[in-house]
Amino acid sequence: MADNDVAAYDPQNIFAKMLKGEIPCHKIYEDGDTMAFLDIMPRTEGHTLVITKEPAVDLFAISAQGLDKLMAVVQKLAPQIKAAVGADGVMIQQFNGEAAGQTVLHLHVHIVPIKEGVPVKPHAGDMANADELAATAEKIKAVLKG
Ligand code: AMP
């Protein structure tokens, strides 16, 4: 596939199913345009994915307005997630195309809180313990509630 070609959007992809409530996730935030939940294979504690409700495979398939909304939510959530887990910084990642490391073909942005001296695990590595994810989600939601 050429660089600028975008794969067809599959409405049965795993994130589309989460949006429809067909499979569970550790949701921390939702509005009319986006949803955020914990990554099941977190690189660090609090690793969150923000996804669009607009069906788009990647950054090049989303409308400009949809991208604005997505990034506004990333900007809003990242500092609060950072505070909730006591991190020192935040890495924002976004992959386009399988060659670039994208494994789920529904546009999403990774928010990865970073603590000084704590190693960052590999991308899409080990599955986290469900109870630990649930506890982290509660911590983050408490901060989001203010
Ligand atoms: P990417 O490689 O950028 O497409 O990232 C996809 C991410 O989705 C990876 O970090 C996976 O760990 C994560 N992921 C895959 N399945 C699930 C799931 N059921 N719940 C939460 N995160 C998931």
Side-chain angles (χ1 to χ4, degrees), residues 14-15 18 23-26 37-43 47 49 93-97 100-106 108-110 122-127 133:
I14 191 161
F15 291 171
M18 284 179 188
I23 59 168
C25 64
H26 295 278
F37 53 88
L38 296 186
D39 194 304
I40 206 167
M41 294 175 249
R43 302 194 66 184
H47 180 173
L49 301 174
Q93 288 190 306
Q94 194 274 316
F95 303 96
N96 298 284
Q102 185 178 11
T103 57
V104 179
L105 298 182
H106 179 117
H108 55 279
V109 175
H110 296 256
H123 176 59
D126 296 332
M127 292 271 276
L133 284 178

Side-chain angles (χ1 to χ4, degrees), residues 2-3 5 12 30 62 65 67 80 86 123 133:
D3 280 353
D5 288 348
Q12 295 304 318
E30 183 169 13
I62 188 91
Q65 189 189 34
L67 184 60
Q80 297 185 77
H123 176 59
L133 284 178

Side-chain angles (χ1 to χ4, degrees), residues 20-140:
K20 288 183 269 185
E22 291 174 1
I23 59 168
C25 64
H26 295 278
K27 192 193 299 185
I28 61 155
Y29 175 86
E30 183 169 13
D31 63 26
D33 303 293
T34 68
M35 187 168 96
F37 53 88
L38 296 186
D39 194 304
I40 206 167
M41 294 175 249
R43 302 194 66 184
T44 64
E45 185 193 6
H47 180 173
T48 297
L49 301 174
V50 187
I51 68 174
T52 57
K53 290 192 173 176
E54 182 179 329
V57 169
D58 63 15
L59 189 72
F60 313 113
I62 188 91
S63 66
Q65 189 189 34
L67 184 60
D68 278 354
K69 288 177 173 163
L70 175 67
M71 293 315 293
V73 170
V74 171
Q75 187 185 44
K76 178 166 87 172
L77 294 184
Q80 297 185 77
I81 294 168
K82 175 184 168 214
V85 300
D88 303 299
V90 185
M91 177 168 67
I92 305 294
Q93 288 190 306
Q94 194 274 316
F95 303 96
N96 298 284
E98 289 173 357
Q102 185 178 11
T103 57
V104 179
L105 298 182
H106 179 117
L107 175 60
H108 55 279
V109 175
H110 296 256
I111 296 174
V112 185
I114 305 289
K115 294 181 188 170
E116 273 171 27
V118 178
V120 177
K121 292 180 187 156
H123 176 59
D126 296 332
M127 292 271 276
N129 173 286
D131 291 341
E132 283 176 20
L133 284 178
T136 300
E138 288 311 314
K139 259 200 292 199
I140 294 171

